[in-house]
Amino acid sequence: MNELLAWIRAHPGLLERTASEHLTLAGTALAADIAIGLALGIAVAGRPRAAGPVVGIVNALRTVPSIALLVLMLPVLGTGFAPSVVALALYGLPAILVNTTVGLEGVDPEIVEAARGQGLAERQVLWLVVLPLALPLILAGIRTSAVQIVSAATLAVFIGGGGLGELISAGLGLLDFPQLLIGAIAVALLALVTELAFALLQRLATGGKAAAA
Amino acid sequence: MIRLDAVSKLFPGASRPAVDAIDLEVPAGETCALIGPSGCGKTTTLRMINRLIEPSSGRVFVGGEDVTGADPVRLRRGIGYVIQGVGLFPHRSVADNVATVPRLLGWTRDRIRARVDEMLALVGLDPAEFGPRRPASLSGGQRQRVGVARALAADPPVLLMDEPFGAVDPVVRDRLQREVAAILRRLGKTVVIVTHDINEAIRMGDRIAIMRDGHVVQHDTPERLLLAPRDALVTEFVGPDRALKRLSLVSLGALATTAQAPPDAPELPADANLQTALSVMLAAGAGAVAVLDEAGGRRGSVSLGAIRDLAANAQPIERSAS
Ligand SMILES: Nc1ncnc2c1ncn2[C@@H]1O[C@H](COP(=O)(O)OP(=O)(O)OP(=O)(O)O)[C@@H](O)[C@H]1O
Ligand SMILES: [Mg+2]
């Protein structure tokens, strides 16, 4: 424990910098996924012909390991922040997209019918009725995706994306155990906090009713 | 008030139209019951009135206006709509559900709140108790009441109901039918109600349209329908007890004479119907019932013979019982 604190004192600002890089990477990728996942989910929901291929392709992404996705970015986008974000976003997209489509399609058609019958315009049906009813599942998807992205961002270091992975890879390379441990603990804590924060958000948004992911 | 003019619907890929050149007119303030076997096109007909389904041909008039080219969203805000599953929004309180259309119409908060309370009270639900609750915590009958309150909230002149009481048990349904029919008559709404239940059609409808295979087979008052079913399908639909059903349309008061019934004769209020009176007489082995006035005194009588004559008489009788 003392060794860890000593290491932090000896490297002022390093933990903060890598942690903030990590959060920026993960946050940017997650924000992109929420936007893309929701837009795509809304666009294909209720259109089996479009939904099939889109969800299929995105689901296939699920089978590609995160490290492979990152490395595959190299020849296309080179190294650094942007390719890391793209790879992480690709990695986190399936959970959000699949939950969004399943959530939207799970809304009782009778309720949608009643909403139209009362004179809600299509947009109002979506925003006032369908999305709120699909929200528990959508949030569950975002939560899964957030935790996946925060964990996978550790690997961004391999293509020069920075983040807490720097500490781990440097620690391994130099056999600097305090640094290695601090990197590992920080990533684990970050993932845990993400999970808890989104679980709380989910609970607040759904009035205490937990939804299955 | 509502007029369908040669309205047809051919669904894409279907071999024949679900609704085939229907003409139907519902005068202002009247209730028309659409009834017929499953799949005959009742729901399709109803939904073409608020354009949830676009007619393939023909024209629909609501309030004298051809709505075939109107903006469907605006049209629907002026037409109350109640469906079998009720379709209440589960994520919103009962009060918010009832407030749906007034909100869409941009009413002020105070006006909406007052209106919601008024509507809940109208359908027999205490606003303070039920307003804040979620639909999931209500019984089927209560949900149905909220559905009616929601449909009436913006005071639309026209109401469309698709098997509104289909999902509740017979006892609750019976009460709801009476109460809702009374409310709709009092408010002078023009109503089209789809039902499977001939008794519901007789109870709620000023006129009944019997449908088969996308056509209206007979469109008549309940009285005429029971008296003179046009063909075998209608006869089957109204049932072999149509004479009894017809008696349920006439109140005791309408047939009462001033002759005094025997002292031991059963007694009934003047607004009881003849079907009830017949049943009471048969059960008591009596030849007449005493008809009571509002104060509970005997004001006259109806004899078994008078009921039999009326039932056998092919003349239309005045509709006077509810
Ligand atoms: N959206 C649709 N697409 C294709 N066919 C439809 C559609 N809606 C209804 N139909 C068909 O049109 C016919 C009439 O259906 P409709 O729902 O109007 O019947 P209904 O009289 O209301 O029956 P029920 O009493 O069972 O509710 C049926 O054959 C039905 O299968
Ligand atoms: Mg139907």
Side-chain angles (χ1 to χ4, degrees):
Chain A
M1 195 69 213
N2 280 336
E3 276 172 66
L4 298 186
L5 291 175
W7 185 90
I8 292 174
R9 264 195 301 275
H11 301 82
L14 185 54
L15 179 59
E16 287 87 336
R17 177 182 64 77
T18 49
S20 106
E21 275 174 13
H22 200 104
L23 281 176
T24 313
L25 271 176
T28 313
L30 182 65
D33 276 348
I34 293 174
I36 298 169
L38 280 180
L40 217 51
I42 290 168
V44 302
R47 289 182 205 157
R49 260 202 226 142
V54 171
V55 174
I57 291 170
V58 173
N59 248 335
L61 268 179
R62 271 194 167 159
T63 58
V64 183
S66 45
I67 183 76
L69 273 177
L70 279 156
V71 172
L72 284 173
M73 285 302 123
L74 270 177
V76 191
L77 292 169
T79 58
F81 180 78
S84 303
V85 166
V86 173
L88 291 174
L90 282 175
Y91 184 59
L93 186 60
I96 295 186
L97 179 70
V98 170
N99 273 37
T100 302
T101 16
V102 172
L104 293 178
E105 276 165 8
V107 174
D108 185 351
E110 201 146 83
I111 291 169
V112 175
E113 158 89 11
R116 280 204 190 106
Q118 308 298 315
L120 275 77
E122 285 312 307
R123 217 182 233 220
Q124 293 169 317
V125 173
L126 178 67
W127 286 97
L128 302 178
V129 179
V130 176
L131 277 176
L133 288 175
L135 193 62
L137 267 180
I138 295 176
L139 284 179
I142 293 178
R143 173 176 158 187
T144 307
S145 160
V147 174
Q148 284 176 341
I149 291 176
V150 165
S151 306
T154 318
L155 303 170
V157 64
F158 291 118
I159 61 166
L164 289 165
E166 266 187 33
L167 303 185
I168 295 178
S169 89
L172 275 174
L174 305 168
L175 292 180
D176 177 355
F177 284 108
Q179 180 171 3
L180 179 61
L181 262 180
I182 283 174
I185 292 171
V187 170
L189 274 179
L190 212 55
L192 199 67
V193 169
T194 307
E195 164 75 15
L196 291 176
F198 278 94
L200 184 71
L201 185 72
Q202 211 179 335
R203 180 164 297 194
L204 287 179
T206 56
K209 283 171 286 155
Chain B
M1 188 68 187
I2 300 176
R3 190 155 66 84
L4 274 62
D5 193 357
V7 172
S8 297
K9 178 66 191 184
L10 178 65
F11 284 109
S15 56
R16 48 175 204 80
V19 171
D20 197 359
I22 275 194
D23 296 309
L24 192 71
E25 192 165 348
V26 186
E30 280 200 6
T31 296
C32 171
L34 284 182
I35 190 167
S38 190
C40 68
K42 306 180 290 293
T43 297
T44 306
T45 303
L46 192 76
R47 292 163 103 210
M48 284 194 286
I49 299 174
N50 65 3
R51 290 189 47 213
L52 282 170
I53 295 177
E54 293 291 343
S56 310
S57 63
R59 296 202 299 171
V60 177
F61 298 85
V62 175
E65 188 195 343
D66 182 353
V67 299
T68 334
D71 168 18
V73 169
R74 244 197 49 217
L75 172 71
R76 289 175 205 145
R77 289 179 187 173
I79 298 180
Y81 186 51
V82 187
I83 56 178
Q84 172 169 356
V86 193
L88 294 180
F89 306 135
H91 59 304
R92 299 219 182 149
S93 70
V94 164
D96 283 342
N97 266 284
V98 176
T100 305
V101 183
R103 277 214 186 107
L104 292 173
L105 295 175
W107 291 16
T108 63
R109 274 165 165 265
D110 290 344
R111 188 172 167 212
I112 291 177
R113 191 169 316 137
R115 184 68 180 172
V116 166
D117 287 359
E118 185 188 342
M119 285 301 105
L120 286 176
L122 181 73
V123 298
L125 297 174
D126 175 17
E129 185 193 340
F130 289 95
R133 281 167 64 173
R134 288 286 170 99
S137 74
L138 267 53
S139 75
Q142 289 164 342
R143 256 177 256 165
Q144 226 95 30
R145 287 172 192 269
V146 177
V148 173
R150 178 173 70 175
L152 290 173
D155 202 14
V158 174
L159 207 64
L160 307 178
M161 310 174 101
D162 197 346
E163 304 195 30
F165 313 118
V168 291
D169 67 72
V171 178
V172 176
R173 189 186 315 156
D174 202 73
R175 262 193 62 192
L176 271 173
Q177 284 168 352
R178 285 175 205 284
E179 286 185 35
V180 172
I183 291 170
L184 297 179
R185 288 222 167 86
R186 182 151 48 84
L187 299 178
K189 299 294 180 195
T190 309
V191 183
V192 180
I193 178 171
V194 167
T195 173
H196 266 119
D197 174 1
I198 183 72
N199 291 315
E200 180 167 292
I202 292 171
R203 180 168 294 160
M204 310 262 319
D206 297 299
R207 278 164 199 281
I208 299 175
I210 297 208
M211 288 185 68
R212 176 182 49 202
D213 298 341
H215 297 276
V216 172
V217 188
Q218 186 168 1
H219 181 211
D220 245 326
T221 61
E223 162 67 17
R224 292 280 319 159
L225 205 70
L226 293 168
L227 191 64
R230 182 162 300 164
D231 66 8
L233 172 99
V234 182
T235 310
E236 192 192 318
F237 228 94
V238 297
D241 60 343
R242 62 189 163 94
L244 278 179
K245 285 183 177 132
R246 203 172 138 237
L247 289 180
S248 74
L249 295 174
V250 188
S251 77
L252 210 47
L255 202 66
T257 63
T258 50
Q260 284 303 320
D264 61 347
E267 300 178 331
L268 280 173
D271 63 355
N273 69 50
L274 291 184
Q275 195 186 58
T276 310
L278 181 64
S279 167
V280 165
M281 275 186 255
L282 291 176
V289 284
V291 181
L292 302 181
D293 57 27
E294 265 157 31
R298 290 190 171 202
R299 77 170 224 209
S301 68
V302 169
S303 70
L304 197 53
I307 293 180
R308 202 176 47 217
D309 289 350
L310 184 114
N313 185 345
Q315 292 310 304
I317 35 188
E318 193 78 2
R319 176 171 190 152
S320 46
S322 60

